[in-house]
Every structure is written in structure tokens, then in C-alpha cells.
Amino acid sequence: MEIENTFKTPCKKERAQCGSAGSCGMPVTIPASPFMQKLGCGTGVNVYLMNRPGIQTYSPWAIKKISSKCTATQKTVYQQRLCDEAKVLKGLQHPNIVGFRAFTKAKDGSECLAMEYGGEQSLNDLIEHRREDGLWAFPAATIEKVALHVARGLQYLHNEKKLLHGDIKSCNVVIKGDFETIKICDVGVSLQLDENLKVCNPKAEYIGTEPWKPKEALEGGVITGKADIFAYGLTLWEMMTLSVPHMEMLDLEDEDSSFSEEDFDFDAYYERLGTQPALDQKNLGGEYQRMVELFCICTNEDPAKRPSAAQIVQVLESNMNAVENTCVVSADNCYPKLLI
């Protein structure tokens, strides 16, 4: 991908301003984009790896900034979203959520959010690489580890910070090494929750990403923390299928085949949104049973029948700590007890 070249290194005055924004209180100097490795991109933004010279213990940062390809109107929207994300992220501190480092402004006036470098790749990158290598689902133990760590992050957001993440998917989970650390990122579209874990402002817009949206978000229903749980369930489905939810018609068996909009059944796609995608278990052994059941209950179309993040953590930690499989989780025993 082409790396944008409009980034300007902050001037001395702006560097002093950056210092007050940094989490460590030290001056922050952001290199120009071409001098940083591009890690990825999202809607209207690019993310770069910033190596910090000096003491060897300095950890690298991930720098998120607005794409130069955005129109003036788009930049206004995305800059506000980036500012909102910085404010939210600054108030979060959890081992399963990417940490805030600094929020500064480049000479051209564009905002830059410096974050903890949470890992080498996103979960989505790993899914794509696995599919390209002709492999099947991730090992069941790996999926269960991701499920537990992401659920812990969601429990913290929902219960302690009263925040709906609003865009859970494999792209927004970053992995370090061989799943050494697992962290949620991108809280730019988060929404405030009340004590009942409902979105406080009924007029607030649930942004999300279409294939991961629950039915209530698509049909103007009440948005609660259970919206994150639906998307969380689909993220587990991604790890078992190596696919994007509801995009089965794009799975081309012939490598020489190319996709055409004329071949895409938009009516079928939109009809599937907000529903539980099919899961072919022919290639999944019995060791996947817990994750299959967790996926099924989290993607129930009725939010009231989905477990909370806290309940998921409780069951998964119980499984992890169980001795000689004394606690067997199945759809017929443990999970129904989680229903509210």
C-alpha cells in the first residue's frame, strides 16, 4: 500500500505541547510517516510503528493518524473521532486493552494518537495468513485463550468503565508473538453505558462494522453491552472458519476467479446480517465443542439470551482452572445458567 507523505514533524512549540499530552510527561516527537513502518489502516486512518531511540527499555508505540486521502469533510469527522478515542483511551488501564501513550498535533494541524504497541499483527492478519497457507481453524486451545482475554477486556469496559466498545471484530484484536498477549484496540466509536448496561443516549449512533452488527443495531433497537457480545461471538466464528461473517458468496474455490459485484447476492447478504452464520463442524473435532457452544449462545438474535462478558469470564476461567475436566461446559448445563 502507498504510504501517505503529508505528515509533518511537530515544530518546537508543538513539541512542548505534546509533552503535556504524553502519559509519561516527556516531550513527544512524531517522525514523518515515511520514516515509520505502516502497520495497517482502518476507516479514514493509518497506523504506524514508531520506534523510540534512546534507552533500550523504551517500548515502541503505534501511531494512529488521519489518512491524507480523506476529503476535508471526512477529515473533520475522523479527527473528532480520533480525539474522542484519545479521551476514552486515556482513562483505560487493563492488560487486555491497548494503552494510551500520548495525543499530539502535527504541524499541518492533524491529530496523532500514540498508543501502546500491543502486538505484531491483528487477529485478522493472522486469520488471513492461516487461510492463505491452506490451514483450517485455529487450535481450540488458542481460540479459548483469545475468548477469555477478549472477554476480560469487555468485562472491564462494560462493568468498570460503563463503555460499549462498539466495534469488536478480529481487526480490533492485536496479538503479540504466539498469542503471548491479546489486547482489544480501537475504542473510537465507544458509547457510554448506564448502570443497566444500556447506551445512555438513545440518539447515539452505533457505528460498528456491518457484518458484525447485531439485529438490534440494524433495526433501531435498544443498544446494550450485549451488542459487543454478538460481535464477540462472531470473532470466535472467524477463528473457526477463517472467514468474514455472512460473506460466504466470496469464498472462491478457484484461485484464478475474480469477484464481480454482479456475482454478489446483496439481497441474501442483507438478509443474513444480524443472524447467526452457519458453522460447518465437519472439520472441527470434539475439542471445539465449548467454543462452538459459546459462539452459538453469544450470537443469539435476542440480546436477553446472550451472556454478559462477566458471565463468560466466569465460565472460561472455571474451565481453565478445572482439574481433570471436572467442570464440563455444554449447552445443556453451564451456559444456560448464564442467561439473564
Side-chain angles (χ1 to χ4, degrees):
M1 294 183 180
E2 182 181 353
I3 296 179
E4 60 191 41
N5 56 15
T6 59
F7 190 96
K8 302 296 183 181
T9 303
C11 65
K12 291 181 180 180
K13 180 179 179 181
E14 289 165 336
R15 290 177 187 175
Q17 295 173 342
C18 295
S20 62
S23 62
C24 60
M26 297 295 290
V28 178
T29 302
I30 307 295
S33 298
F35 296 98
M36 296 187 289
Q37 174 189 346
K38 190 172 183 179
L39 295 174
C41 58
T43 305
V45 297
N46 291 320
V47 181
Y48 300 91
L49 175 64
M50 173 182 162
N51 289 306
R52 297 189 296 151
I55 303 175
Q56 291 184 352
T57 55
Y58 278 7
S59 59
W61 288 352
I63 306 296
K64 180 185 287 190
K65 72 179 296 290
I66 308 302
S67 171
S68 63
K69 296 180 181 180
C70 293
T71 64
T73 301
Q74 289 174 328
K75 285 184 178 180
T76 299
V77 173
Y78 296 136
Q79 283 179 355
Q80 182 59 53
R81 187 176 295 177
L82 192 63
C83 183
D84 292 342
E85 179 177 6
K87 291 178 181 177
V88 171
L89 198 60
K90 193 172 184 178
L92 304 179
Q93 188 171 0
H94 189 274
N96 294 121
I97 297 177
V98 167
F100 172 88
R101 293 297 178 264
F103 187 60
T104 184
K105 185 173 288 188
K107 188 176 181 179
D108 63 2
S110 62
E111 282 82 6
C112 305
L113 173 59
M115 304 168 289
E116 169 191 14
Y117 177 49
E120 298 170 359
Q121 299 180 89
S122 72
L123 178 59
N124 180 257
D125 291 334
L126 297 176
I127 288 172
E128 289 186 353
H129 294 162
R130 195 171 180 86
R131 184 173 62 243
E132 291 168 358
D133 291 340
L135 300 174
W136 300 102
F138 285 84
T142 300
I143 299 175
E144 190 154 351
K145 183 176 183 180
V146 171
L148 175 58
H149 286 257
V150 173
R152 283 172 175 167
L154 289 177
Q155 179 184 17
Y156 170 78
L157 288 175
H158 294 176
N159 295 77
E160 294 190 38
K161 294 299 180 178
K162 297 295 185 290
L163 284 173
L164 177 81
H165 181 279
D167 198 16
I168 292 294
K169 56 185 177 181
S170 61
C171 293
N172 288 335
V173 177
V174 289
I175 309 297
K176 181 178 180 180
D178 187 19
F179 293 88
E180 297 163 17
T181 64
I182 300 161
K183 296 176 183 281
I184 297 171
C185 65
D186 200 350
V187 294
V189 294
S190 62
L191 298 173
Q192 196 69 45
L193 299 172
D194 63 19
E195 291 300 319
N196 297 314
L197 301 188
K198 293 182 180 179
V199 171
C200 294
N201 182 1
K203 295 183 179 180
E205 181 183 4
Y206 178 94
I207 303 296
T209 302
E210 199 167 66
W212 289 265
K213 282 187 176 182
K215 186 72 72 175
E216 62 268 26
L218 294 163
E219 297 181 348
V222 176
I223 304 298
T224 69
K226 300 296 183 68
D228 276 346
I229 299 302
F230 185 88
Y232 164 87
L234 291 184
T235 303
L236 303 183
W237 182 89
E238 289 183 79
M239 296 188 73
M240 288 185 277
T241 64
L242 309 184
S243 302
V244 176
H246 312 301
M247 301 290 280
E248 297 87 342
M249 61 282 288
L250 293 185
D251 291 337
L252 303 173
E253 295 182 2
D254 185 354
E255 293 183 358
D256 295 329
S257 298
S258 58
F259 168 70
S260 170
E261 285 193 10
E262 296 178 357
D263 300 325
F264 190 84
D265 190 341
F266 284 97
D267 290 336
Y269 166 69
Y270 285 114
E271 186 176 346
R272 290 189 182 105
L273 291 179
T275 67
Q276 187 179 97
L279 181 62
D280 186 352
Q281 297 187 49
K282 290 187 296 184
N283 298 312
L284 300 175
E287 67 273 21
Y288 289 89
Q289 189 63 26
R290 285 199 297 268
M291 291 299 97
V292 171
E293 291 165 355
L294 181 58
F295 149 70
C296 288
I297 197 168
C298 288
T299 53
N300 195 301
E301 290 185 35
D302 183 353
K305 294 183 179 180
R306 300 172 204 152
S308 67
Q311 291 168 327
I312 295 171
V313 169
Q314 181 181 12
V315 170
L316 292 180
E317 287 183 344
S318 177
N319 289 333
M320 179 175 289
N321 297 327
V323 179
E324 296 180 354
N325 298 320
T326 56
C327 178
V328 178
V329 178
S330 73
D332 296 326
N333 48 52
C334 293
Y335 281 141
K337 297 177 184 178
L338 299 181
L339 300 182
I340 297 176

